[in-house]
Amino acid sequence: MSALLDHLPEFWQGLIVTLQLTAASFAGAAVMGLVVTALRVSPVPVLRGIGTAYVETLQNLPLLVLLVLAVFGLPEIGIKAGLLVTAIVVIALYEGAYIAEALRSGVNAVSAGQGEAARALGLTFGQSLRHVILPQALRTVVQPIGNIFIALTMNTSLAAAIGVVDLTATANRVNLLEAQPIPIFVGAGLAYALIAACAGFVTGRLERRLAVIR
Amino acid sequence: MIRVQGLNKWFGDHHVLRDIDLEVAQGEVVVVIGPSGSGKSTLCRCLNRLELAGSGEILIDGVPAPVEGRALARLRADVGMVFQSFNLFQHKSVLDNVMLAPMKVRGVSRTEAEKTARELLARVGIADQAGKMPAQLSGGQQQRAAIARALAMRPKVMLFDEPTSALDPEMVGEVLDVMVQLAADGMTMVVVTHEMGFARRAADRVVFMDDGQIVETAKPNAFFESPTTDRARSFLAKVLTH
């Protein structure tokens, strides 16, 4: 226990970095997900193709590979960014593909008649999506998106591998000093579990609140 | 108001509309009847391009109907449509359903849109349901709300695609009453329906379709009393005996 308590300030700092990674990359992933979903259901074949290519590429590569490639590859092409920012962007792009797929299943769950009614009233494709389709789609995918949020939280620990000092990296460093892996990693694990539990609680509340009477 | 020339439509190999020519004058009520699968719904949906025609020409108010994009959206804003399954926006109240398009498409202010919406809901007899969600309404009330939603755009033409086919029998009348009133007010209407009573009462012209073709066009009295084609005669024999 003392191994944990003696290093509370470091763990606190690591937790803050993990929360930053989680919040920022989820926000980015949500925006990416919306954009890619709009592409994938667009009436323009080229745009649909771009959306599909995006999802297929990012879902089929391991996040760790993407992180390492970004850290070493981006400076090669003249883009210099801090490790934290690089990690946030890569995780956002990667998880964006998953959010896009969840959203698309939500869009498919909205009956075709809703879109037809919107278009028949003169709403453009974008307006139909924004005012009619997506609000209904989002309500049906609160739970899957909550799951993606939790997976994303866990995936932020991969940022430790490229040198971001998050909760996992902190646990690693403290363990090198103290050599007490069990309490240290159980402690770090509990912190992740707490974030996930909060996310589960929020999605449960959201789902009940947003439920549409059908 | 509407002119259709040489309209053809295929679903794969299935030729659903064959050389359709149809004209609907300003203020005219045209009722399209015919057996299931005769293409009448498809024709109705082609008129505002919810279905893309294979070939042929559709002119609305003298202007060729655009195929896609913003021009098509503008056309649709002027052509009201009422669906068999109502298609009210499930996540919005009845009032918001009616207000959405005038605000987003016409750029009408919220207060103005609400005023019009409440007037229209009163006109179709559901003013007291304005704050409810669609699922809390009966089928007949939902369909009347859908008619109000279409009317809120002040359309030049109204298309009705089997508006009473999904309703319980006791609710058909309340929807038809609204439509008869609308016809009496001079709205140009194309109505696909199985309601022969409505056709007799409100139609200026009956169009009988079978197998993707317009088989017969006549005044309602003439059509129901003395249809000129065998197909119309046998159809009427089937639907009017009960």
Side-chain angles (χ1 to χ4, degrees), chain A residues 8 14 25 30 32 41 43 50 62 75-77 92-93 104 116 118 129 150 166 170 178:
Chain A
L8 267 187
S25 55
M32 250 356 260
V41 300
I50 293 172
E76 293 276 314
I77 55 169
L93 293 177
R104 192 167 65 97
E116 283 183 356
L129 209 55
I150 291 171
D166 69 338
T170 305
E178 302 285 345

Side-chain angles (χ1 to χ4, degrees), chain A residues 12 15 19 149-150 153-154 167 186-202:
Chain A
W12 182 245
L15 180 64
L19 289 174
F149 179 87
I150 291 171
T153 309
M154 305 307 156
L167 193 54
V186 166
L190 284 176
Y192 281 110
L194 192 67
I195 300 175
C198 290
F201 178 75
V202 171

Side-chain angles (χ1 to χ4, degrees), chain A residues 167-206:
Chain A
L167 193 54
T168 302
T170 305
N172 240 334
R173 288 182 177 196
V174 171
N175 186 43
L176 286 178
L177 289 174
E178 302 285 345
Q180 292 203 34
I182 309 278
I184 288 170
F185 280 94
V186 166
L190 284 176
Y192 281 110
L194 192 67
I195 300 175
C198 290
F201 178 75
V202 171
T203 45
R205 290 291 292 268
L206 266 180

Side-chain angles (χ1 to χ4, degrees), chain A residues 201-214:
Chain A
F201 178 75
V202 171
T203 45
R205 290 291 292 268
L206 266 180
E207 193 164 48
R208 255 165 286 149
R209 191 119 164 246
L210 294 176
V212 184
I213 326 160
R214 284 177 200 273

Side-chain angles (χ1 to χ4, degrees), chain A residues 23-201:
Chain A
S25 55
F26 184 74
V31 173
M32 250 356 260
L34 273 174
V35 171
V36 174
T37 303
L39 290 176
R40 292 206 78 177
V41 300
S42 146
V44 184
V46 179
L47 296 181
R48 280 204 301 277
I50 293 172
T52 309
Y54 180 89
V55 170
E56 292 302 326
T57 310
L58 283 150
Q59 278 196 336
N60 294 343
L61 288 169
L63 179 55
L64 188 55
V65 169
L66 292 171
L67 283 167
V68 173
L69 275 179
V71 165
F72 293 107
L74 289 182
E76 293 276 314
I77 55 169
I79 300 172
K80 291 205 177 80
L83 288 175
L84 183 66
V85 173
T86 305
I88 286 171
V89 169
V90 172
I91 296 173
L93 293 177
Y94 175 80
E95 299 286 346
Y98 287 85
I99 290 193
E101 283 301 85
L103 273 180
R104 192 167 65 97
S105 80
V107 168
N108 290 342
V110 177
S111 74
Q114 295 285 309
E116 283 183 356
R119 278 180 282 139
L121 282 166
L123 273 74
T124 59
F125 171 76
Q127 287 176 322
S128 308
L129 209 55
R130 190 159 137 231
H131 299 295
V132 176
I133 308 293
L134 280 177
Q136 296 187 63
L138 271 170
R139 283 166 166 82
T140 65
V141 296
V142 169
Q143 203 62 57
I145 288 192
N147 290 341
I148 292 173
F149 179 87
I150 291 171
L152 178 149
T153 309
M154 305 307 156
N155 279 341
T156 59
S157 64
L158 288 174
I162 58 163
V164 176
V165 189
D166 69 338
L167 193 54
T168 302
T170 305
N172 240 334
R173 288 182 177 196
V174 171
N175 186 43
L176 286 178
L177 289 174
E178 302 285 345
Q180 292 203 34
I182 309 278
I184 288 170
F185 280 94
V186 166
L190 284 176
Y192 281 110
L194 192 67
I195 300 175
C198 290
F201 178 75

